Amino acid sequence: EMCIRDSGDALAEAAAGQEGELARLLPELGETSPESRGEDGRARLFELTARLLERLAADRTLVVALEDLHWADRSTRELLGYLLRSLAHARLVIVATYRSDDLHRRHPLRPFLAELDRMRTVRRVELPRFTRAEVGDQLTGITGRRPGRPLLDRVFERSDGNAFFVEELARSLADEDGPGPGGPRGESLSESLRELLLVRVEALPGDAQAVVRAAAEGGSAVEYDLLRAVAGLDEDALIEALRAAVGAGILLPTPDGDGYRFRHSLVREAVGDDLLPGERSRLHRRYAHALEADPALVRAEERPARLASYWYHAHDPAKALPATLEAAVHSRRRYAYAEQLRLLDRALELWEIAPVAVREAQRPFDHADGYPA
């Protein structure tokens, strides 16, 4: 259905004589006439709609906006195609929006868009994600005040510049410098946002859901061979599961083609939050065992920090303490001082709960090698 607001008498005058047939699209015109139904009535409705818009645009520029085209049914797509073909010379601008992230590989809108791309009168505009500055402007508009830098950084990182996610995250903010979203995994997502993010994951086949859950705990990106070692599927089943997750717009191949990452970090966060505590620690333990068995599964410069993280989240202090100290040494050698400090703070946390034998086995601290003097 269409709705034209503030049209005054112009709509009534343009629709005069065809109100019953046009009422299928414009309910405010009155009751739908019986002859408007059926295939013939549908073709006539398309023609009458085009003529109606032509009359409304006779002495003004008319803009027709259709939002969320990814949810449109076949009849709506066909009507839009008819209007674009038949109204090329009218004083009319048709703006149709859709979310590209919602277009899986077999989505019916894909062939329709390919057909429109061949029309000279149609221009497709790809809107990029918001920059950090644009996210700041959006938060200012939502909250009525300029966000502080730490808060802006956290919201930008978690939202990936997605305007809808920024809006949803902003609802949970107490004030611009309050706790807000943050922390290693961020404060908990709202229940409504988490459910929205998980809808497409829960629609996947069982193997694909399991692979997505495993990928969520593997890091910002997970190498294919490492994911194969952790997923517990034969290669054919793993490929099919990954194909389903990529086709649904949940995972993406990494730019180097070596692994996979989540299209949106908030989806990864929602999937991780949905794991049971024992399920999460088990996944991290499997990652740690796989990496210890074959260190070549990840790049050498990433290996110490990844292994330390896996053992830490596996809740195994005996393994996590020496791995974390080794990762701190590696960070110091790469001049990554902020990362070194974070790892040393974690090592102090682990020191309190690690077995005595494990603590005694650590070599004396050496400032030159990355440990505090």
Side-chain angles (χ1 to χ4, degrees):
E1 294 181 354
M2 298 172 61
C3 180
I4 301 180
R5 298 183 178 89
D6 302 323
S7 60
D9 297 330
L11 176 60
E13 293 173 359
Q18 286 88 39
E19 292 90 344
E21 294 173 276
L22 287 168
R24 287 180 61 187
L25 288 178
L26 297 165
E28 58 261 46
L29 291 177
E31 295 293 328
T32 303
S33 61
E35 58 268 21
S36 68
R37 301 183 178 89
E39 192 62 32
D40 291 341
R42 179 170 168 276
R44 177 166 168 76
L45 176 63
F46 283 12
E47 173 64 20
L48 289 176
T49 302
R51 302 293 76 81
L52 172 69
L53 295 175
E54 277 186 335
R55 289 191 288 272
L56 288 171
D59 57 357
R60 77 199 79 184
T61 298
L62 183 66
V63 177
V64 177
L66 296 90
E67 294 187 325
D68 295 325
L69 199 59
H70 49 280
W71 289 335
D73 59 13
R74 177 180 174 183
S75 294
T76 302
R77 294 193 299 270
E78 291 179 350
L79 172 59
L80 176 59
Y82 180 87
L83 295 177
L84 291 171
R85 289 189 297 270
S86 61
L87 297 175
H89 303 293
R91 297 175 59 180
L92 178 71
V93 178
I94 299 178
V95 180
T97 67
Y98 66 92
R99 287 203 300 265
S100 57
D101 287 351
D102 283 358
L103 301 190
H104 55 74
R105 294 182 182 274
R106 293 183 296 277
H107 196 288
L109 189 60
R110 283 189 179 274
F112 178 73
L113 293 173
E115 179 184 341
L116 295 187
D117 283 339
R118 294 194 292 268
M119 300 175 63
R120 295 182 179 179
T121 56
V122 175
R123 178 185 176 192
R124 199 192 303 204
V125 179
E126 299 284 346
L127 297 179
R129 298 177 182 179
F130 280 177
T131 63
R132 183 182 181 278
E134 289 169 334
V135 168
D137 290 340
Q138 185 183 3
L139 285 173
T140 301
I142 293 172
T143 64
R145 61 178 101 179
R146 197 72 188 172
R149 178 177 295 179
L151 178 60
L152 175 56
D153 288 343
R154 292 197 299 269
V155 173
F156 179 60
E157 180 182 358
R158 293 180 78 193
S159 68
D160 291 324
N162 181 297
F164 173 72
F165 291 160
V166 172
E167 183 176 359
E168 290 296 312
L169 288 170
R171 293 179 180 178
S172 65
L173 307 181
D175 55 59
E176 65 176 10
D177 294 313
R185 184 180 290 275
E187 277 76 24
S188 296
L189 299 172
S190 67
E191 193 64 29
S192 60
L193 179 55
R194 183 184 297 108
E195 290 178 359
L196 181 65
L197 293 169
L198 291 175
V199 164
R200 277 185 290 172
V201 176
E202 293 169 349
L204 292 173
D207 282 350
Q209 290 191 43
V211 169
V212 167
R213 288 194 293 269
E217 297 304 305
S220 57
V222 186
E223 297 78 1
Y224 170 75
D225 288 334
L226 179 58
L227 188 58
R228 181 176 60 176
V230 170
L233 298 173
D234 65 65
E235 193 158 18
D236 288 342
L238 176 60
I239 291 294
E240 286 305 308
L242 287 169
R243 186 181 300 278
V246 170
I250 296 166
L251 297 181
L252 286 176
T254 53
D256 59 12
D258 186 45
Y260 294 86
R261 64 176 180 84
F262 278 79
R263 179 182 290 272
H264 292 295
S265 61
L266 274 186
V267 177
R268 177 191 169 205
E269 186 176 329
V271 171
D273 285 347
D274 199 50
L275 294 173
L276 299 173
E279 186 179 17
R280 177 178 294 126
S281 60
R282 184 186 65 176
L283 281 171
H284 281 279
R285 191 175 301 110
R286 293 174 71 173
Y287 272 112
H289 282 307
L291 193 51
E292 284 190 338
D294 186 358
L297 289 173
V298 303
R299 287 182 285 274
E301 64 271 16
E302 296 183 13
R303 190 182 307 133
R306 295 273 292 273
L307 186 60
S309 176
Y310 293 148
W311 279 126
Y312 177 79
H313 289 102
H315 303 300
D316 190 332
K319 293 288 244 178
L321 177 59
T324 300
L325 291 172
E326 182 62 33
V329 171
H330 183 72
S331 295
R332 170 66 177 81
R333 290 171 179 169
R334 293 187 301 115
Y335 305 103
Y337 299 118
E339 177 68 6
Q340 177 200 16
L341 180 60
R342 186 186 67 81
L343 288 165
L344 290 174
D345 283 341
R346 180 172 286 181
L348 290 174
E349 172 193 339
L350 292 167
W351 192 272
E352 299 298 325
I353 57 177
V356 174
V358 173
R359 296 202 302 263
E360 292 177 347
Q362 306 311 306
R363 58 191 176 87
F365 283 179
D366 180 357
H367 181 67
D369 206 16
Y371 297 103

